Amino acid sequence: MITLGITFNGERRSYLNIAPGWKRPAWAPIQRDILKIPNRPGGYHQRTTVDVREITIPIWINATNLQKIKEDLAAWLITDKAAELIFDDEPDRVYYALVDGSFDPDEIVTLGQGTITFICPDPYKYAKTEKVADAVISNGTALTTVSNAGTVETQPVIEIQIDKSYTNIDITNGEEINRIGRVVNLEDYAVDKEETVLNDKLTTITGWAKTEGRVGIDGYATGNMKSDGYRFIAQDFGTTQDAWHGPFYKKSLGQTLTDFRMEAMVEILNTSEDKFGKVEVYLLDENNLSVCMLTIKDVDSSGKRNYATARTGGGDAGYRDIVSTSGEKESTYWNFYGILRVERVGTRWTAYVAKVDKTTGKHTARTFKEFNDVEQQFMRKPTQIGVYIAQYGTRPVPTLRADDVRVYKINQLTKNQIPYIVKQGDVVTFDHKSKDILVNGESRLDLKAFGGEYFPLNRGDNVIVTSPALPTKVTWREKFR
């Protein structure tokens, strides 16, 4: 006799078999709301509600120690959120389920017999693999034809490759439209809201000046920096101090900035809890005083905690931490690779921290904070940038890297100036499943146009038009009742 089992949360158990003769419901429970009117036959259908899907499975367990099996089942099946559930007799469909209730098997010698109940808050089942369709660009039009073979509508993820600067990007299914940015009308004109002042991938120390001593940074400037061809790392940390010390190299921006943004990709890889170190990036004024600073550091000897900080000011002007966080949990920023950002426009400062997935580029564990310097305490104007990689005393250090640094001049716009929102090389993602819009992996819901719709893919054929006509990839998973 062929025995059937389940795969849940990517795992199986050889001792668990589904009892013969069991059948799953064909669809999740549905409820029809009918409006009944006195003295009229029947009623009017108002809406249909799809309820939570419940799957009760009769099982046999073949094991010599059922008490230990119960513990193993609990460790396997009890999850904090819905996980993939796949049945052996339906291997191309996925349910997203949570175990519900308890499990109290009847024990017959070395066999246990009972039922396990799963509930699916999302009542639909899904194709196991995603499908992908690419746009066909012809005569200035980008059309993506999508065939949804599921039995209900599903939500697409639409990725667009940008070839030059644009003020808006639109996608439409012919009836609904989603958009980021603004359209340039007859009386408007497009301008650059920001200009790139520095975009350094830190592949060489050429152009960077070594600095030594107490130079307005949080520590001593000692030792030497080098590039491994991909990023800055410390060649050595120099003369030992019972304080922060390490190489500090700086570079001119070539101009004085008033409104600006600085961002850095940095990395701190922790192999144990007894290592300490930090990577900092500074903007300095013409007198070598700190305008602002970004840092990722490990100073915690009792846990897996890295701290990310964006600070304005420094020196005799005092300072203020716009953000200083280790993330939502203790280990959120452990083994951190991500982006640190600080921006000033007028008296308004903003700071942003996020981990970045090296494969997808998507930002996670995001933190955004702002501060209005109404007393204008922190108004120094940057003319230089500096990178500092430091050790504390003689303590062992984790892997510390500065991957790249970027500085932008931010321009003030007039009423009829429409800013470019994307540029060549950017990737825009309309994620209609999670109702998010990403630019280079970063959530940019601030760019979403009022009235934009996260439209679905209907059953059957769908045509999505991208404007301007740009290379477009649509990804979706078919959904079934």
Side-chain angles (χ1 to χ4, degrees):
M1 180 178 64
I2 298 176
T3 58
L4 300 176
I6 63 171
T7 301
F8 181 72
N9 203 20
E11 299 180 23
R12 296 179 59 84
R13 295 296 186 270
S14 60
Y15 58 71
L16 186 150
N17 297 293
I18 299 174
W22 172 70
K23 296 180 180 179
R24 288 185 298 285
W27 56 77
I30 58 175
Q31 178 180 335
R32 309 288 191 180
D33 290 342
I34 304 297
L35 176 64
K36 295 185 178 181
I37 299 176
N39 303 319
R40 296 196 63 174
Y44 292 100
H45 174 229
Q46 291 186 302
R47 68 184 64 86
T48 297
T49 302
V50 183
D51 206 347
V52 172
R53 185 190 292 259
E54 182 176 299
I55 305 174
T56 300
I57 310 171
I59 65 168
W60 285 95
I61 292 176
N62 189 350
T64 56
N65 190 333
L66 289 176
Q67 300 310 312
K68 294 295 184 184
I69 291 300
K70 291 178 185 178
E71 293 178 0
D72 184 62
L73 279 174
W76 174 34
L77 298 180
I78 299 176
T79 57
D80 293 331
K81 58 183 179 180
E84 288 191 353
L85 173 63
I86 303 172
F87 294 94
D88 288 356
D89 63 345
E90 197 179 22
D92 59 345
R93 297 289 182 264
V94 178
Y95 300 80
Y96 289 91
L98 291 158
V99 73
D100 193 43
S102 61
F103 177 65
D104 298 306
D106 298 325
E107 300 183 17
I108 307 172
V109 191
T110 60
L111 292 176
Q113 180 181 5
T115 59
I116 295 176
T117 300
F118 288 95
I119 57 170
C120 302
D122 179 346
Y124 301 107
K125 53 185 177 179
Y126 291 80
K128 192 173 182 179
T129 58
E130 292 181 332
K131 290 190 174 181
V132 178
D134 293 310
V136 175
I137 301 177
S138 178
N139 298 321
T141 303
L143 302 179
T144 310
T145 301
V146 175
S147 181
N148 175 20
T151 58
V152 292
E153 64 183 28
T154 191
Q155 288 69 41
V157 176
I158 303 166
E159 184 179 283
I160 302 167
Q161 305 289 331
I162 307 301
D163 62 353
K164 64 178 184 179
S165 296
Y166 294 100
T167 63
N168 68 286
I169 302 292
D170 297 352
I171 54 171
T172 179
N173 62 1
E175 297 180 357
E176 299 162 291
I177 186 172
N178 208 348
R179 169 182 292 162
I180 57 171
R182 297 166 57 192
V183 176
V184 179
N185 295 320
L186 182 62
E187 297 180 344
D188 301 327
Y189 58 97
V191 296
D192 289 310
K193 182 179 180 181
E194 58 189 36
E195 301 171 37
T196 301
V197 175
L198 176 74
N199 183 3
D200 198 316
K201 300 299 182 182
L202 305 183
T203 57
T204 176
I205 62 171
T206 300
W208 290 80
K210 178 180 177 180
T211 306
E212 294 183 297
R214 296 289 286 180
V215 288
I217 61 175
D218 186 20
Y220 293 87
T222 62
N224 296 285
M225 195 87 73
K226 71 175 183 178
S227 175
D228 62 4
Y230 300 96
R231 59 189 73 84
F232 275 10
I233 57 177
Q235 181 173 318
D236 64 80
F237 293 96
T239 305
T240 300
Q241 305 280 346
D242 191 23
W244 289 113
H245 64 98
F248 178 59
Y249 281 49
K250 63 181 184 178
K251 187 175 190 177
S252 172
L253 298 177
Q255 58 182 288
T256 301
L257 301 177
T258 301
D259 296 330
F260 59 85
R261 182 172 78 252
M262 173 178 69
E263 53 193 34
M265 296 296 296
V266 295
E267 195 166 6
I268 180 168
L269 301 180
N270 314 81
T271 56
S272 64
E273 297 176 19
D274 62 345
K275 295 183 177 181
F276 306 87
K278 64 179 181 177
V279 180
E280 294 182 338
V281 183
Y282 288 81
L283 284 179
L284 307 171
D285 69 5
E286 61 183 357
N287 297 314
N288 294 314
L289 297 175
S290 175
V291 178
C292 57
M293 176 268 286
L294 299 168
T295 182
I296 184 74
K297 62 184 177 181
D298 182 354
V299 294
D300 194 340
S301 61
S302 61
K304 297 181 177 180
R305 186 183 288 114
N306 289 333
Y307 292 90
T309 301
R311 174 177 296 175
T312 178
D316 57 3
Y319 69 87
R320 181 186 177 104
D321 288 344
I322 309 168
V323 63
S324 183
T325 178
S326 59
E328 184 177 351
K329 298 179 181 179
E330 176 182 306
S331 61
T332 297
Y333 291 156
W334 190 251
N335 289 322
F336 182 92
Y337 172 79
I339 186 170
L340 308 175
R341 178 187 297 149
V342 64
E343 177 178 303
R344 185 181 75 193
V345 177
T347 60
R348 181 176 177 267
W349 290 84
T350 58
Y352 176 77
V353 178
K355 295 185 76 173
V356 177
D357 187 296
K358 287 187 176 182
T359 302
T360 65
K362 189 171 184 179
H363 292 206
T364 60
R366 303 187 301 267
T367 299
F368 176 84
K369 298 288 184 180
E370 57 185 352
F371 157 62
N372 189 11
D373 181 20
V374 292
E375 296 180 358
Q376 300 187 32
Q377 182 180 359
F378 307 110
M379 299 301 293
R380 292 171 179 160
K381 296 183 178 182
T383 62
Q384 309 169 77
I385 187 170
V387 177
Y388 183 45
I389 298 180
Q391 172 189 33
Y392 196 91
T394 59
R395 292 169 174 81
V397 295
T399 299
L400 304 170
R401 299 167 176 162
D403 285 54
D404 70 55
V405 291
R406 299 180 292 273
V407 179
Y408 302 91
K409 176 185 176 182
I410 298 177
N411 299 316
Q412 296 293 323
L413 304 184
T414 61
K415 184 177 179 180
N416 64 333
Q417 292 178 322
I418 309 300
Y420 292 114
I421 57 168
V422 291
K423 61 184 181 303
Q424 183 179 8
D426 286 346
V427 178
V428 175
T429 303
F430 290 88
D431 189 339
H432 288 200
K433 182 178 180 181
S434 62
K435 292 182 169 52
D436 199 2
I437 297 174
L438 311 175
V439 177
N440 301 327
E442 179 182 347
S443 180
R444 292 301 309 271
L445 289 174
D446 59 301
L447 297 178
K448 183 177 179 293
F450 179 77
E453 298 287 346
Y454 295 104
F455 55 80
L457 298 176
N458 297 317
R459 292 178 62 182
D461 290 338
N462 299 256
V463 177
I464 295 174
V465 180
T466 306
S467 179
L470 294 166
T472 303
K473 179 176 72 174
V474 180
T475 305
W476 73 100
R477 285 182 74 182
E478 291 165 347
K479 222 165 35 169
F480 302 85
R481 295 191 189 278

